[in-house]
């Protein structure tokens, strides 16, 4: 439909002096190229969250289990790359941590359920509609997805840890990577996990505006998580479960030194620093959450 003369005149009045006069098709292109506003991004995330909350428990469980398995390829890719790099080279982690992105690429582009993504998408609808019913749905989603992710991670770690699928030098790389994950104390691991939850939730917030650059955004953000040695509950679970199934670390230490502090930190980073702050940005700016 052609623009009315009033609409066209309004656009002419808004145009700064000296700015080029655009044709209707060019005006449309200019509008399309504008970055998404905070309100639009918020609404995209809220609708995605509503869709996730409506999924059945079975669908969430299978998707979460698949994501836990897929995240194992972060350890595999990083370990394989590391095994081919010079031992002790200061720059080696900058290259090997590119492998850390593989699992995230599979999970996010494959629309599988990853716990740290749901700390953002599921919480936004809860902030928009703070009811007992929505809280129950969020708790169900979190519980099912987290358990399924961890079971998938455990299954993957068991297979690579108890078989000769990979060469000894690759297993050596796996063990070095995994031991790095548990070398920090409890509260330092919590802090590392806050940063990981923060970055992964920011990644989810950035994707609606990324358009054709999804792969680049995912790789860069998750590479930063890896090279910064921040703790991610699912990717890191594959690593520490590998230590458990190979007997390199006791199961009490697996959970006490990594799983529990990382879970606390990821939730704090994803919910407090991203979900809550972006919700406040929209509501304080005059936007009104839909529901």
């Amino acid at each position: 439909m052609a623009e009315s003369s009033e609409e066209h005149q309004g656009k002419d009045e808004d145009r700064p002096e000296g700015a080029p006069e655009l044709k209707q098709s060019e005006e449309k292109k200019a509008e399309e190229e504008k970055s998404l506003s905070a309100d639009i991004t918020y609404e995209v995330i809220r609708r995605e969250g509503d869709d996730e909350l409506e999924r059945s428990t079975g669908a969430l469980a299978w998707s979460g289990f698949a994501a836990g398995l897929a995240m194992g390829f972060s350890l595999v890719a990083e370990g394989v790359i590391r095994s081919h790099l010079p031992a002790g080279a200061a720059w080696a982690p900058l290259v090997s941590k590119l492998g850390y992105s593989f699992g995230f690429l599979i999970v996010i582009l494959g629309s599988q359920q990853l716990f740290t993504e749901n700390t953002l998408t599921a919480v936004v609808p809860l902030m928009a509609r703070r009811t007992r019913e929505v809280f129950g749905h969020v708790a169900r989603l979190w519980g099912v997805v987290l358990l399924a992710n961890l079971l998938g991670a455990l299954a993957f770690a068991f297979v690579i840890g108890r078989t000769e699928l990979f060469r000894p030098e690759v297993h050596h790389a796996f063990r070095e990577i995994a031991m790095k994950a548990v070398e920090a104390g409890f509260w330092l691991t919590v802090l590392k996990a806050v940063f990981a939850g923060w970055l992964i939730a920011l990644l989810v917030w950035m994707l609606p505006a990324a358009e054709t650059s999804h792969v680049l955004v995912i790789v860069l953000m998750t590479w930063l998580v890896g090279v910064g040695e921040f703790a991610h509950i699912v990717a890191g679970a594959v690593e520490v479960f590998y230590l458990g199934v190979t007997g390199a670390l006791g199961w009490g230490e697996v959970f006490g030194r990594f799983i529990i502090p990382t879970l606390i930190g990821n939730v704090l980073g994803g919910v407090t620093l991203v979900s809550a702050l972006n919700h406040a940005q929209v509501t304080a700016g005059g936007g009104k959450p839909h529901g």
Side-chain angles (χ1 to χ4, degrees):
M1 182 180 294
E3 283 187 314
S4 67
S5 58
E6 291 84 359
E7 290 174 335
H8 189 74
Q9 182 179 359
K11 288 184 178 180
D12 287 341
E13 291 174 352
D14 292 338
R15 182 179 293 111
E17 184 178 354
E21 183 175 346
L22 302 180
K23 299 178 182 178
Q24 181 181 343
S25 60
E26 294 171 331
E27 288 279 5
K28 182 178 179 182
K29 179 65 175 176
E31 286 294 321
E32 291 174 349
E33 292 298 324
K34 286 169 61 178
S35 297
L36 294 182
S37 68
D39 288 0
I40 294 174
T41 301
Y42 178 94
E43 183 61 13
V44 170
I45 299 297
R46 188 194 67 79
R47 293 183 183 185
E48 290 179 354
D50 278 337
D51 290 341
E52 298 302 331
L53 293 177
E54 292 173 0
R55 296 185 69 179
S56 69
T57 298
L60 290 173
W62 284 112
S63 182
F65 184 75
L69 290 172
M71 286 305 298
F73 287 105
S74 285
L75 177 59
V76 167
E78 183 180 348
V80 170
I81 295 172
R82 184 179 181 128
S83 69
H84 286 84
L85 296 177
W91 50 265
L94 299 178
V95 177
S96 64
K97 287 299 180 182
L98 289 172
Y100 188 79
S101 301
F102 275 66
F104 290 95
L105 283 167
I106 296 169
V107 168
I108 296 173
L109 297 181
S111 300
Q112 296 171 347
Q113 294 290 325
L114 187 65
F115 179 75
T116 45
E117 285 184 283
N118 289 309
T119 57
L120 172 64
T121 55
V123 168
V124 171
L126 178 60
M127 290 182 173
R129 303 190 308 277
R130 300 176 190 182
T131 66
R132 182 176 299 179
E133 180 183 8
V134 177
F135 179 81
H137 287 314
V138 172
R140 175 185 68 96
L141 184 146
W142 277 23
V144 171
V145 171
L146 176 60
L147 180 59
N149 282 170
L150 293 180
L151 288 174
L154 178 59
F156 193 97
F158 185 88
V159 171
I160 66 171
R162 293 294 187 91
T163 67
E164 298 179 357
L165 182 61
F166 296 100
R167 301 189 310 274
E169 58 268 29
V170 178
H171 278 283
H172 179 70
F174 290 162
R175 189 176 184 279
E176 287 185 333
I177 293 166
M179 291 303 294
K180 193 74 175 175
V182 295
E183 69 177 10
F186 186 95
W187 291 111
L188 181 54
T189 301
V190 170
L191 184 59
K192 286 174 175 283
V194 167
F195 275 77
W198 186 4
L199 287 168
I200 297 301
L202 282 173
L203 162 62
V204 177
W205 200 268
M206 292 164 63
L207 286 179
E211 297 183 347
T212 58
S213 302
H214 282 194
V215 171
L216 180 61
V217 171
I218 294 169
V219 169
L220 290 178
M221 294 293 283
T222 55
W223 174 82
L224 182 56
V225 173
V227 81
E229 298 180 357
F230 303 135
H232 184 273
I233 184 65
V234 186
V238 179
E239 299 169 5
V240 296
F241 286 164
Y242 175 86
L243 295 177
V245 300
T246 57
L249 195 68
W251 287 103
E253 291 182 291
V254 165
F255 283 88
R257 291 171 60 180
F258 186 84
I259 299 297
I260 294 174
T262 301
L263 176 60
I264 294 170
N266 282 174
V267 171
L268 288 174
V271 174
T272 305
L273 293 175
V274 180
S275 300
L277 290 178
N278 279 295
H279 175 82
Q281 174 189 195
V282 171
T283 55
K288 182 179 179 181
H290 295 76

